[in-house]
Amino acid sequence: MKVKIRQWNGVASWLWVANDENCGICRMPFNGCCPDCKVPGDDCPLVWGQCSHCFHMHCILKWLNSQQVQQQCPMCRQEWKFKE
Amino acid sequence: MEEIVMESDSADVSAAAPQLGVGAAWDTVTTALMSPGCSVPEQSLSDSLVLLCGRGLGRLLGGWLLETLQMRLSSSVVPEFWSGLKQPENELEERGRAWVLLTAFRTLLSRLEPFLGGLETLGTWQQEGRSSLCGPGPRGLQELAFTIIRALLLFSPAPVLQERVLEFYSRTFSVYMNQQGEAEDGAEAPDGPEGGACRGCGVPTQQCWCQEALEQLQELSRILSKLQLLEWVSSEAVTSILHRLIEQRMEQHCRGEYERSFLLEFQEWLELVLGWLSKVFASEADGESPVPAPSAPSTPGVPSTPGVPSMQGNQPASSVLKQWRCHMHQFFCRIYVNMRIEELFSIIRDFPESKAAIEDLKFCLERTNQRQQLLTSLKSAFESRLLHPGVHTSDILTVYISAIKALRELDPSMVILQVACQPIRKYLRTREDTVRQIVAGLTGDAEGCTDLASELSRGDPVTLEMQDSDEEGNDPEDWTPDPTDAVPDKMGSKRRSSDIISLLVSIYGSKDIFIDEYRAVLADRLLHQLNYNTAREIRNVELLKLRFGESHMHYCEVMLKDMADSRRINSNIREEESRLSEEEQPPLSLSSIILSSEFWPPLKEEKLELPPLVCQAMEAYTHRYEKLKAMRTLSWKPHLGSVTLDVELEDRTLSNLTVSPIHAAIILHFQEKSSWTLEELSVKLGAPKELVHRKLALWQQHGVLREEAGGRYYVVETGSSKEKLERGVMLIDSDEERDSNTTTQSEQREEKLQLFWAYIQAMLTNLDSMALDRIHSMLRMFVATGPVVTEMDVNELEAFLQRKVREHQLTVSAGVYRLPKSN
């Protein structure tokens, strides 16, 4: 007997490679989106800081904009630098 | 001189009078009154009158007349009448009985006529003020006489009168209707076989007495109206005849016929009947009227209640007829409503076709006070015919939808709909698959009911209650109060919706359940699709957005977007693959649907180890994806999806089979080894034995595998005997249901209830014992975060707690729950 597979339609779910489940700022899952967004994934990406913490991009930008003096990671209080 | 002459004249008279004697004068006057035949000289009559009046006896005349009448009546006339009526016992046939009836009345009239005549003369004298006579006048006197006649004659009427009258009227009716060319196609009119029978009077044509009957009718009417007995004698008979006829006709014509309006038809027929009635009540209008017309300026259009002939026969026949027309109309409406109420369930079931019946019913129902009856009957019809376990949920829904459509025609205030359908809604709430059926209907998946889908695509958001709830645009002049049977609720009439979808959705009181269910259905549909074609789903979601609002459908939108994204990613990856050299080409053409897990309903988790070939392909796919989307990876759901494959056997090829991944995995394993035991396969696939066993059935059905003793499965390389194969197909029961990929509603609910369990335990630890209501309200208070609590009613909580009791995690006594004492 020989089985020839013409087409395999699989199902997968995508997920961010992050060290946490939820965004530390909005507490929403990373695989969802920040409160301001409707659509997850490309439209509401994650960003990583050099301190290795990551957040929804929109969340951390909002946070950084609200910080007058120094821009710190809200989790570890180190100076926030985007990870390249 | 003159004065003296005058005096002497009067003296003469007064002198002459005593000569005449009071007795003689009395006799003269009474003779003149009682027997108009024999002529009393005018002179002596007036002399006598003057004499009597002079003695103050004039006013006794009326009394005497009436007294005599009364005596005569009770001593001879009445007994004669009744015995005349009964006399021929049962020997005569119908025609003879009619004759007897008429004769009895004729005699009655001839006996009474002298008195009536006398009273009239006396009344005329009184009116003229002759010899200073005064009194109530002819009308008043006759009125008194008629009262006496009625009282004595009909004091204890024998049933035979009613019987005879009824029979006679029925006969004349059929004669009349026959002559009018409206042959009654009822039981009374045998045609064809018996042939030669007159359709009117029911006897052989040569003996037809139709004409005679009509003449008799006319005479009877005349006599009765003369004696002012018409209403008293006939109304009952006429009423019952009309009742019976309308009922009969309706049974024959309307029962079971819903597609045609009968109102006009009946209206015409009733006019015909009215022609007959006008013969029955013909009376004075066309006969010699004993009372001049200016009688009562009867108020037209004000019908008196049937059976109480408050207005007497001495008013113009046309107004009597008008009354009867009203009665008849009322009868008709009532009978029609009665019949339709009985049939309402069937009418509703056939609704769009039975619109005519509904409209008729609406018209009649407005004229009879039978809403309550309708409600009660419809409710019990629903309960006995629809709401039992033998009826499929989708059928209940179909009937409910028809009921909504039909009843909103019937009662635009929606009160009947609301009240009558309450049991349906309540019952549907207890059916587990209600939501799924409704959603299937909405998406057009349901077999039977396409109503919902078309209703959805009608998508007229303006009529929806959510949109117009705050609108006060209506003209206050148009306001109508609710019918009295409305259920008083805070919603008010304005919120009483007639929109089918809103009504269905509100069965559970919340649209979230429906949206969740729709999401599950949508997920199923999308995952079972082979291509990424979502046009239909997009349309549905857009329509549902109009209904439920944008925010509720957000998750579904993301799901659809995932489909579009997946398609793009797939083609990207394909393109990349195609650039590879020949030998690097992947051995398996793999495409994938990539989900945003947070937005899809929880998918069933099943363990499944796919063959290495597939795993490698998936890994490669994941790599490409990771390259495409930085910092993201894929988590495969090996058991989901679909596989198209060909199975090439020695003597045959099954091509283009579409199966689920586990089927594919099984058959791929058979490729490397032609016989497996169930255990081996189960280990290899990492799936439970029962599941594998079930899935193997598909290949057995296709005749690719066969099971042999010891739970071993072999490949059937040669389909040597086709019959055997076919028998195999017959024998192996296909329990291959199309599994839903999403967890069911009840499973999800279970999870939510489990969440409460922690709260309940904590409460009971602190408070020792609590009653059901208390637990419910506490949960409401503390667990106010989600929509979950509000949706959970006490009954559900009770069921949950009961289960916990059965599992010995709770104890209950006298309605109070507590945690079991831990040992």
Side-chain angles (χ1 to χ4, degrees):
Chain A
M1 182 187 67
K2 202 166 167 300
V3 178
K4 195 176 137 220
I5 293 177
R6 295 190 176 205
Q7 175 69 36
W8 190 294
N9 296 302
V11 175
S13 61
W14 62 262
L15 43 110
W16 290 100
V17 188
N19 46 14
D20 204 351
E21 291 270 300
N22 300 325
C23 168
I25 297 173
C26 67
R27 308 305 297 161
M28 300 300 263
F30 281 134
N31 298 328
C33 51
C34 78
D36 297 336
C37 281
K38 292 266 181 229
V39 186
D42 295 339
D43 293 354
C44 186
L46 298 196
V47 288
W48 279 258
Q50 281 183 356
C51 57
S52 87
H53 288 118
C54 72
F55 304 99
H56 286 124
M57 186 180 76
H58 300 133
C59 294
I60 190 70
L61 286 181
K62 221 195 276 178
W63 162 261
L64 295 176
N65 285 339
S66 69
Q67 301 294 301
Q68 272 98 21
V69 197
Q70 230 185 342
Q71 305 213 313
Q72 292 174 334
C73 167
M75 301 292 268
C76 61
R77 297 282 156 190
Q78 292 181 41
E79 195 189 347
W80 178 267
K81 285 201 181 97
F82 286 103
K83 194 175 178 182
E84 295 307 319
Chain B
M1 268 301 271
E2 263 188 33
E3 214 182 343
I4 294 163
V5 172
M6 291 265 292
E7 266 182 0
S8 72
D9 259 10
S10 67
D12 255 13
V13 173
S14 55
Q19 289 164 6
L20 240 125
V22 179
W26 181 265
D27 283 342
T28 317
V29 174
T30 47
T31 319
L33 284 176
M34 291 293 294
S35 38
C38 71
S39 55
V40 178
E42 185 63 19
Q43 180 58 45
S44 76
L45 174 63
S46 48
D47 285 352
S48 311
L49 257 181
V50 169
L51 177 69
L52 288 181
C53 292
R55 297 293 164 97
L57 293 173
R59 58 192 140 97
L60 292 183
L61 275 173
W64 175 84
L65 262 176
L66 292 174
E67 186 67 27
T68 324
L69 169 68
Q70 196 175 336
M71 275 168 52
R72 186 76 65 82
L73 267 173
S74 50
S75 65
S76 62
V77 178
V78 172
E80 181 191 18
F81 173 77
W82 288 115
S83 64
L85 203 60
K86 279 181 209 161
Q87 183 220 339
E89 291 308 331
N90 293 322
E91 295 142 22
L92 287 173
E93 55 175 0
E94 198 186 343
R95 193 169 173 180
R97 285 195 296 269
W99 179 253
V100 168
L101 177 71
L102 187 60
T103 320
F105 275 105
R106 268 188 200 151
T107 331
L108 183 67
L109 181 66
S110 67
R111 296 281 183 276
L112 295 176
E113 236 162 3
F115 292 97
L116 296 178
L119 282 169
E120 200 186 340
T121 323
L122 179 64
T124 324
W125 293 346
Q126 286 175 346
Q127 224 167 25
E128 289 164 359
R130 197 161 163 184
S131 313
S132 63
L133 261 178
C134 60
R139 282 192 49 106
L141 280 175
Q142 279 191 329
E143 208 61 52
L144 285 170
F146 290 137
T147 314
I148 291 171
I149 296 172
R150 274 202 301 274
L152 289 173
L153 188 69
L154 304 176
F155 174 62
S156 53
V160 67
L161 174 67
Q162 274 313 316
E163 278 167 28
R164 293 282 160 82
V165 170
L166 190 66
E167 184 186 49
F168 180 65
Y169 278 163
S170 312
R171 177 55 60 206
T172 56
F173 179 80
S174 69
V175 169
Y176 178 81
M177 290 312 259
N178 188 39
Q179 285 191 346
Q180 293 301 306
E182 168 77 8
E184 269 183 295
D185 29 358
E188 278 190 275
D191 49 359
E194 273 156 76
C198 172
R199 289 166 69 91
C201 49
V203 294
T205 340
Q206 56 271 27
Q207 299 172 27
C208 173
W209 55 295
C210 288
Q211 204 49 45
E212 187 187 329
L214 282 185
E215 279 160 15
Q216 284 176 346
L217 173 68
Q218 216 150 14
E219 190 179 348
L220 184 68
S221 299
R222 198 177 49 75
I223 296 172
L224 285 175
S225 80
K226 221 167 181 182
L227 292 175
Q228 301 209 353
L229 285 170
L230 194 53
E231 293 267 1
W232 302 90
V233 171
S234 340
S235 3
E236 205 180 314
V238 170
T239 309
S240 68
I241 289 173
L242 289 181
H243 238 275
R244 205 190 63 220
L245 286 170
I246 294 177
E247 223 155 46
Q248 214 173 16
R249 196 178 163 81
M250 209 166 284
E251 282 295 322
Q252 284 162 11
H253 290 244
C254 310
R255 186 166 288 277
E257 271 282 339
Y258 312 136
E259 298 182 17
R260 196 148 72 76
S261 170
F262 290 97
L263 279 186
L264 261 175
E265 206 174 293
F266 259 92
Q267 207 66 49
E268 282 167 14
W269 183 76
L270 288 181
E271 286 305 319
L272 258 179
V273 174
L274 213 60
W276 172 73
L277 272 181
S278 76
K279 281 219 179 317
V280 172
F281 294 105
S283 67
E284 307 97 61
D286 44 57
E288 64 285 15
S289 55
V291 182
S295 53
S298 66
T299 46
V302 181
S304 66
T305 42
V308 185
S310 56
M311 305 194 201
Q312 254 307 312
N314 55 358
Q315 52 184 315
S318 69
S319 103
V320 176
L321 280 183
K322 212 174 278 169
Q323 263 184 53
W324 276 103
R325 186 201 296 266
C326 280
H327 293 173
M328 241 163 43
H329 207 253
Q330 197 67 26
F331 291 159
F332 165 74
C333 287
R334 195 170 296 269
I335 295 168
Y336 188 82
V337 170
N338 278 336
M339 186 186 71
R340 287 303 190 217
I341 283 178
E342 251 173 67
E343 297 177 311
L344 195 53
F345 185 85
S346 318
I347 295 180
I348 284 175
R349 202 190 42 209
D350 308 0
F351 173 62
E353 284 78 41
S354 62
K355 199 158 189 274
I358 288 280
E359 276 164 2
D360 283 2
L361 178 60
K362 183 184 178 201
F363 177 86
C364 294
L365 194 63
E366 280 164 5
R367 282 154 184 79
T368 63
N369 190 18
Q370 287 175 292
R371 286 173 69 102
Q372 208 50 52
Q373 189 190 335
L374 181 139
L375 276 176
T376 325
S377 138
L378 182 59
K379 253 183 174 172
S380 64
F382 278 146
E383 266 154 21
S384 60
R385 295 181 64 176
L386 192 64
L387 306 180
H388 53 78
V391 185
H392 200 276
T393 308
S394 66
D395 294 335
I396 300 182
L397 282 173
T398 312
V399 172
Y400 183 37
I401 292 168
S402 300
I404 295 173
K405 287 184 183 164
L407 295 180
R408 75 179 169 197
E409 291 286 331
L410 183 65
D411 173 30
S413 75
M414 304 302 156
V415 172
I416 292 181
L417 174 64
Q418 196 192 18
V419 177
C421 293
Q422 208 53 45
I424 304 187
R425 297 169 65 86
K426 215 166 150 194
Y427 183 80
L428 280 175
R429 235 172 279 164
T430 65
R431 284 267 175 128
E432 268 189 10
D433 57 342
T434 304
V435 182
R436 193 148 277 224
Q437 290 289 346
I438 295 173
V439 170
L442 282 176
T443 51
D445 292 345
E447 318 86 55
C449 59
T450 51
D451 292 358
L452 275 180
S454 56
E455 190 68 19
L456 179 64
S457 57
R458 211 164 52 94
D460 184 8
V462 191
T463 60
L464 298 192
E465 58 176 352
M466 326 177 239
Q467 263 89 351
D468 63 7
S469 59
D470 290 325
E471 217 170 271
E472 288 290 354
N474 293 342
D475 186 1
E477 294 290 324
D478 292 343
W479 182 83
T480 44
D482 275 349
T484 47
D485 45 6
V487 181
D489 57 0
K490 42 191 181 301
M491 301 280 276
S493 60
K494 204 149 65 75
R495 301 293 305 272
R496 209 172 289 131
S497 169
S498 65
D499 180 67
I500 293 173
I501 293 180
S502 335
L503 276 173
L504 286 177
V505 166
S506 66
I507 288 179
Y508 283 89
S510 142
K511 43 188 171 180
D512 293 333
I513 295 179
F514 282 86
I515 303 210
D516 285 353
E517 189 63 36
Y518 176 73
R519 209 150 63 105
V521 170
L522 179 66
D524 261 2
R525 293 179 62 93
L526 292 179
L527 292 181
H528 276 103
Q529 259 185 355
L530 297 177
N531 46 27
Y532 299 95
N533 186 3
T534 54
R536 191 171 138 206
E537 272 67 31
I538 289 174
R539 178 173 160 276
N540 276 336
V541 168
E542 289 298 321
L543 289 170
L544 286 168
K545 256 175 19 186
L546 289 178
R547 294 271 162 183
F548 297 122
E550 195 106 3
S551 60
H552 283 91
M553 298 308 291
H554 172 210
Y555 281 33
C556 296
E557 282 202 299
V558 173
M559 285 161 71
L560 290 176
K561 185 171 180 297
D562 279 347
M563 296 303 285
D565 287 350
S566 306
R567 179 197 207 141
R568 212 170 43 241
I569 292 165
N570 260 323
S571 56
N572 259 333
I573 290 175
R574 279 281 156 71
E575 207 173 301
E576 213 173 300
E577 280 173 355
S578 66
R579 263 178 293 177
L580 292 174
S581 58
E582 195 69 29
E583 58 271 24
E584 276 176 311
Q585 284 286 333
L588 184 71
S589 156
L590 176 70
S591 65
S592 174
I593 296 170
I594 301 165
L595 319 176
S596 304
S597 51
E598 294 293 324
F599 293 79
W600 285 65
L603 300 171
K604 261 188 200 152
E605 288 298 337
E606 249 172 57
K607 269 182 65 99
L608 176 65
E609 301 276 346
L610 294 175
L613 174 76
V614 186
C615 288
Q616 281 158 19
M618 284 181 172
E619 259 166 49
Y621 194 95
T622 310
H623 274 302
R624 300 224 152 77
Y625 180 83
E626 282 167 358
K627 252 193 263 167
L628 213 58
K629 306 270 181 190
M631 294 311 282
R632 278 197 263 171
T633 187
L634 292 180
S635 144
W636 288 89
K637 316 258 177 219
H639 58 290
L640 297 181
S642 62
V643 181
T644 313
L645 45 71
D646 298 344
V647 181
E648 289 167 15
L649 293 159
E650 268 172 28
D651 60 344
R652 64 200 189 278
T653 302
L654 305 168
S655 58
N656 250 339
L657 289 176
T658 300
V659 295
S660 75
I662 188 163
H663 288 132
I666 289 171
I667 204 69
L668 281 173
H669 284 306
F670 274 95
Q671 197 177 6
E672 57 203 58
K673 193 171 120 184
S674 65
S675 100
W676 292 79
T677 63
L678 194 55
E679 284 78 19
E680 286 168 346
L681 267 178
S682 161
V683 169
K684 194 85 183 168
L685 293 167
K689 274 199 281 187
E690 310 86 70
L691 180 74
V692 177
H693 180 75
R694 242 178 339 127
K695 300 294 173 186
L696 277 164
L698 176 89
W699 294 119
Q700 285 172 280
Q701 270 189 338
H702 278 105
V704 178
L705 299 180
R706 83 189 131 85
E707 185 179 7
E708 286 192 0
R712 259 189 180 279
Y713 291 87
Y714 293 91
V715 177
V716 184
E717 282 288 2
T718 49
S720 48
S721 52
K722 232 174 158 85
E723 299 93 315
K724 206 166 136 195
L725 274 180
E726 271 159 16
R727 206 173 61 234
V729 173
M730 302 291 283
L731 285 176
I732 301 158
D733 181 32
S734 162
D735 55 355
E736 191 55 37
E737 79 282 26
R738 190 173 128 155
D739 293 327
S740 166
N741 291 325
T742 51
T743 48
T744 64
Q745 198 71 39
S746 55
E747 283 167 349
Q748 287 178 33
R749 210 155 176 78
E750 202 56 32
E751 275 169 35
K752 287 175 184 169
L753 280 172
Q754 281 303 333
L755 188 127
F756 291 135
W757 180 233
Y759 283 92
I760 296 169
Q761 275 179 311
M763 283 193 290
L764 290 175
T765 314
N766 287 327
L767 299 168
D768 191 37
S769 65
M770 289 169 90
L772 177 66
D773 284 344
R774 184 93 195 283
I775 297 180
H776 189 240
S777 59
M778 291 285 257
L779 283 177
R780 261 177 186 277
M781 210 151 57
F782 293 130
V783 201
T785 42
V788 195
V789 186
T790 47
E791 283 164 16
M792 181 182 64
D793 60 358
V794 186
N795 297 337
E796 203 175 337
L797 179 65
E798 187 176 12
F800 177 72
L801 293 178
Q802 288 297 346
R803 213 178 48 240
K804 287 291 179 192
V805 170
R806 278 200 299 279
E807 290 166 4
H808 302 294
Q809 301 190 43
L810 262 186
T811 60
V812 61
S813 61
V816 176
Y817 293 88
R818 61 182 83 220
L819 291 173
K821 300 273 181 298
S822 49
N823 310 339

